[in-house]
Amino acid sequence: MARVLIASDKFKGSMTAAEVGAAVAAGIRHVLPNADVSVVPVADGGDGTVAAAVAAGFVAIPVRATGPTGEPVETSYARRGEIAVVELADVSGLVRLPGGEFAPMTATSRGTGEVIDAAITAGCRRVVLGIGGSASTDGGAGLLRALGARLLDAEGADIGDGGAALDRLDTIDLAALRERLAGVEITVACDVDNPLTGPHGAAAVYGPQKGADGAQVAALDAALTHWADVIAEATGNDLRDRAGAGAAGGVGFAAVAVLGATLRPGIELVLELVDFGAQLAGADLVVTGEGMLDEQTLYGKAPAGVAAAAGEADVPVVAVCGRNTLTAKRLRTAGFTAVYSLTEIEPDVRRCFTDGAVLLRRLGARLAAEHLPPEFAAAPSELDSQPG
């Protein structure tokens, strides 16, 4: 009996990782009704990370927290034992901006800290934090405040939220935060190597994606530089140039400089959380994917991580995607045996979004016929009869 492991990320804006897996599995079973097909949704530390953990057996714990512009949002973290998985994107991310309107100077990471605080209150002692998709450039100040830090101006008053307010910071009181975090281990899923400040820093590189114009980028970078100065004085360590400090508008910096966090590639963390190694045992084929396979895929995205892990176990890997821009040589080097894209069988991109499940079932049937033991596969002529 053929055994297939489907470990795909979401198709952003179209299908969740679980939905992608279900559609591909249906296509495989159409060709191989007796195939042993397992679906293990994965993510790279951004949106979908909590969903992947829940699919792997974690329990979703609902939390109400502060959104990036102050409105309350309903979110959740995933828990198993003393481990909590927190997803910044779902509470402090761009997707949580009311009406999609940017707030580059005032958006806050406070809600992410509130979710972490809720997990600690519930008894969690290890927090895995995915930080992709941030709406703010506040250096992680909001997150630290939610965990007990006091950020005070020269008159001893609390400063406001957002990156722009950091230029008024005079002192930071970390006593309550340190007490709160005693005995808690923080691991951050981070896939960028930007420093906090400068031409490759959080404001310069990611500020425009969050609505900041040239003058605002300069102001935010200056505020983050001042923030780093104050943190260095308070902690005795200057980590503004640490690779990954600029991640999520500087949340990476706050995590390593104040919380003592470890930064790790997101997909590595997620594969550990879902126990991918054990799932991989005995597989004849692994199917992975995401909406777009491109050069970014090869640098820390979920499909590349899955391909690397499967390759170490000598299990062949094929990918499904909405669109592929990688050459066959690049794909082979990254460990992919083949790639199947929706645009190959449906050139209308709109239909790829609206009818993705139907098209993925067809791709699932095709890859089953072409990459699984021939004695189990249906004849090629049967592939066009996919249920729709």
Side-chain angles (χ1 to χ4, degrees):
M1 179 188 298
R3 182 166 187 276
V4 184
L5 178 61
I6 304 173
S8 177
D9 201 346
K10 63 190 174 300
F11 280 24
K12 192 168 186 177
S14 174
M15 304 176 71
T16 66
E19 290 169 341
V20 171
V24 174
I28 293 171
R29 292 190 178 108
H30 185 75
V31 174
L32 301 172
N34 296 321
D36 178 4
V37 184
S38 299
V39 176
V40 181
V42 296
D44 58 14
D47 53 320
T49 299
V50 164
V54 171
F58 283 65
V59 176
I61 308 297
V63 180
R64 171 172 282 196
T66 303
T69 54
E71 295 83 359
V73 299
E74 302 296 333
T75 186
S76 64
Y77 65 92
R79 179 176 185 177
R80 184 173 66 195
E82 292 190 343
I83 302 174
V85 180
V86 177
E87 182 182 310
L88 179 149
D90 194 54
V91 60
S92 306
L94 291 165
V95 296
R96 290 297 195 173
L97 288 169
E101 293 188 13
F102 296 118
M105 308 303 281
T106 57
T108 177
S109 60
R110 180 188 291 269
T112 300
E114 291 172 351
V115 178
I116 294 172
D117 186 66
I120 293 171
T121 298
C124 295
R125 289 297 173 264
R126 180 188 171 198
V127 177
V128 176
L129 173 62
I131 61 173
S134 166
S136 65
T137 310
D138 73 346
L143 181 150
L144 297 183
R145 293 172 78 168
L147 292 170
R150 294 286 308 281
L151 278 60
L152 308 173
D153 64 18
E155 285 71 46
D158 294 320
I159 66 170
D161 283 330
L166 294 174
D167 67 355
R168 297 191 294 276
L169 179 65
D170 183 66
T171 58
I172 182 169
D173 181 351
L174 298 173
L177 178 145
R178 285 169 172 156
E179 182 178 352
R180 183 69 171 141
L181 271 292
V184 177
E185 174 190 343
I186 309 285
T187 306
V188 176
C190 176
D191 293 309
V192 301
D193 58 6
N194 305 79
L196 178 65
T197 58
H200 302 292
V205 176
Y206 302 109
Q209 300 173 14
K210 303 172 187 182
D213 60 26
Q216 290 172 324
V217 165
L220 287 168
D221 189 62
L224 290 174
T225 298
H226 178 60
W227 170 237
D229 291 341
V230 174
I231 293 294
E233 183 177 351
T235 64
N237 293 307
D238 190 343
L239 298 181
R240 75 188 74 194
D241 294 326
R242 170 78 175 271
V251 168
F253 169 75
V256 297
V258 180
L259 304 183
T262 301
L263 303 185
R264 291 187 55 196
I267 184 58
E268 286 186 10
L269 273 172
V270 172
L271 291 182
E272 287 181 8
L273 291 172
V274 303
D275 201 10
F276 185 75
Q279 302 274 2
L280 190 59
D284 298 297
L285 180 70
V286 170
V287 182
T288 188
E290 64 179 349
M292 171 76 80
L293 282 184
D294 56 18
E295 283 296 323
Q296 290 187 8
T297 301
L298 307 182
Y299 297 95
K301 295 296 186 179
V306 170
E312 291 178 1
D314 293 323
V315 180
V317 181
V318 300
V320 293
C321 61
R323 183 184 176 200
N324 169 45
T325 65
L326 293 171
T327 65
K329 182 178 179 180
R330 291 289 278 160
L331 290 165
R332 285 194 302 271
T333 301
F336 298 102
T337 300
V339 171
Y340 297 80
S341 67
L342 300 185
T343 53
E344 290 177 6
I345 59 176
E346 177 49 71
D348 186 341
V349 175
R350 290 174 298 179
R351 283 204 63 200
C352 291
F353 274 87
T354 60
D355 299 337
V358 173
L359 298 172
L360 278 172
R361 287 199 293 269
R362 290 174 57 187
L363 293 184
R366 182 178 297 180
L367 68 87
E370 295 178 359
H371 294 281
L372 290 169
E375 62 269 24
F376 295 111
S381 61
E382 296 179 36
L383 300 180
D384 291 329
S385 63
Q386 281 296 290

